[in-house]
Structure formats: C-alpha cells, structure tokens
Amino acid sequence: MTELPVHEFAGHDGVPLAYRETGAGRPLILLHGLTADAPSAWIATGHAETIAARGHRVIMPDLRGHGKSARPHDPAAYPRDILAHDGLALVRHLGLTGYDLGGYSLGGRVVVRMLVRGATPGRAIIGGQGMRQVAGERGGAGDAIRRIAKAPAGPGSPDWETAQRLRESGADLTALVHVLDSLVPTTKEEVAAIRTPALVVAGAQDSRAASVEELAAALPDATHAVLPGGHWGAAVHPGLATTMAGFLDGH
C-alpha cells in the first residue's frame, strides 16, 4: 500500500492528533497498541489493505503520545481515560453515525473504555486483551517502559531488547509513561453492560489467552477467535485482518 496522507483532528482537549484512512464503505476505526502507530500496526502489516478490499473505510488514528500525534510531556495533558475521550472526539470530528470500532493490545483496551464511555459502534473488535488486562492488571510492555524511563537499560539487562526497539522506533518514553498513567480499569459489571456485538481475538500462545477467554465470556454478545502465535505474532498474522473482516461481514 502506498503511503497514506496524514490528516489532523483536535483531541478531547484540543491537542492535535493524526489519523490516516483508506478504502470506502462502512467506517471502521482501528486503534493500535502501545509504542506502535497506524503505519506499523495496520498499514505495513497489510491489515488495512485487506479490510478495505472487503468494502470498508478504514480509519486509523495515532493515539496521543504516539506516531504523528502530539506527545506532550505535561502530565496534565493525560487525564484519566484521555485515549477513550480522544477516540470519541474522532467520531465527532468525522460525523460518524453508523460505524464499527476495533483495536489491538492497548487499542483493544481503549475500545472497551470507549464503549463504557458511551461509544455506539455497530460492532466492536477487541484484540490481544483479556479481562485481567482491561481490569487494570499491570505487567508486560507497560512495566518495561516504566522501568526503562526511570533507568536506561544497559546491554545484557532484561529490558535491553525492549529499550533498543523503543529507541529505533523513536518512541517518547515520557509521553508513554503518561499514557500508561491515564488508563482506567474496567470492572466486570461494566463489561457485562456492553451490548455491542464484539469479536475477542488473540494468539493461541499469548500469555493472556485464559484472560482473553474470560473477557469473551463476560461480554453479553461476543465471538471468540484464536490465531497462531503469541501476543505480537498474532498482531502481524494475516489471519488477524481476515478474521476481523469475516466478523464484520457476518454481523
């Protein structure tokens, strides 16, 4: 896919945020994971192209603190649930009424928060997130980023490879820690109140697999799908796009 133009919209508090889009048809907003952006999560993987070819307008924002979106260092720019509020601001900016909403990893958690905050997509896709993760359990990349932000990881340390990837991607550690601090836990009661038909999808070898099953069971109208690979392997597997498109086509 050729490089897509970057468009701008005002986040919840007016901060400039970026998005790209491709395809035509029913809109699908896709939210990327922590440290990623729209090009790495959806475009380079071929997911956006695959889903657009199935008749969807694929809209892909860069979350606050990521990619081409603003990365403020002031903690006040990251109030609780700001990523969900930014997502709702994008829906308003585009004037969307009938649309679908999906995300992977951090993006999946934001999808849940947007639903709790009143988003009304026809269908939702929650990738790489389980009940424990949306409930606020810490661990994984988030904890590694907090450690590296406090003390740079040296060669041979457990976080060395993560630190290398962050440097190579141009990630802003200060902004990412603020993003992590803005996340809000979702209770089982809130999950049970979500009536939107949802696809919950993750890798078979994802350490969160049991928690993913728990989230699918807690949602009143959920389809559970399993892909090959672990957390990041499933994120880039071609089956992610075809599974998402199949769910949208079937509902």
Side-chain angles (χ1 to χ4, degrees):
M1 181 179 287
T2 57
E3 188 171 341
L4 298 174
V6 179
H7 306 285
E8 187 175 292
F9 73 102
H12 176 68
D13 54 358
V15 166
L17 303 177
Y19 72 96
R20 299 164 178 84
E21 63 173 88
T22 187
R26 182 177 172 87
L28 169 65
I29 297 175
L30 287 179
L31 308 178
H32 62 76
L34 184 67
T35 78
D37 56 15
S40 61
W42 307 118
I43 300 171
T45 57
H47 297 332
E49 186 173 15
T50 296
I51 297 170
R54 298 274 286 264
H56 299 275
R57 175 189 174 191
V58 184
I59 302 163
M60 303 161 283
D62 286 350
L63 300 176
R64 180 180 300 235
H66 296 75
K68 296 292 186 182
S69 286
R71 307 180 184 189
H73 283 192
D74 183 355
Y78 299 85
R80 288 167 58 84
D81 250 357
I82 188 59
L83 299 185
H85 288 302
D86 285 341
L88 293 168
L90 177 60
V91 172
R92 291 192 297 270
H93 171 80
L94 295 173
L96 301 181
T97 51
Y99 70 97
D100 300 310
L101 177 63
Y104 193 89
S105 198
L106 172 62
R109 183 169 176 179
V110 177
V111 167
V112 173
R113 292 307 305 167
M114 287 180 66
L115 293 170
V116 170
R117 288 287 186 177
T120 57
R123 296 156 294 190
I125 299 168
I126 304 164
Q129 289 288 275
M131 190 65 237
R132 292 196 299 273
Q133 286 71 48
V134 301
E137 179 178 271
R138 297 225 349 218
D143 281 2
I145 286 169
R146 292 182 189 278
R147 289 192 299 268
I148 295 165
K150 287 182 178 179
S157 67
D159 294 327
W160 172 243
E161 289 187 6
T162 301
Q164 286 286 84
R165 287 196 298 271
L166 291 170
R167 280 192 288 270
E168 290 168 3
S169 69
D172 187 321
L173 287 175
T174 300
L176 291 177
V177 170
H178 291 327
V179 165
L180 291 167
D181 289 342
S182 76
L183 300 180
V184 175
T186 303
T187 66
K188 283 191 175 182
E189 291 74 21
E190 288 174 319
V191 169
I194 294 172
R195 301 300 172 187
T196 305
L199 169 67
V200 181
V201 57
Q205 284 76 50
D206 195 329
S207 61
R208 313 171 187 202
S211 182
V212 170
E213 291 185 16
E214 185 182 358
L215 176 61
L219 286 161
D221 187 358
T223 300
H224 181 215
V226 180
L227 297 174
H231 188 68
W232 298 116
V236 300
H237 193 280
L240 179 60
T242 55
T243 299
M244 293 166 72
F247 169 76
L248 297 174
D249 294 344
H251 285 71

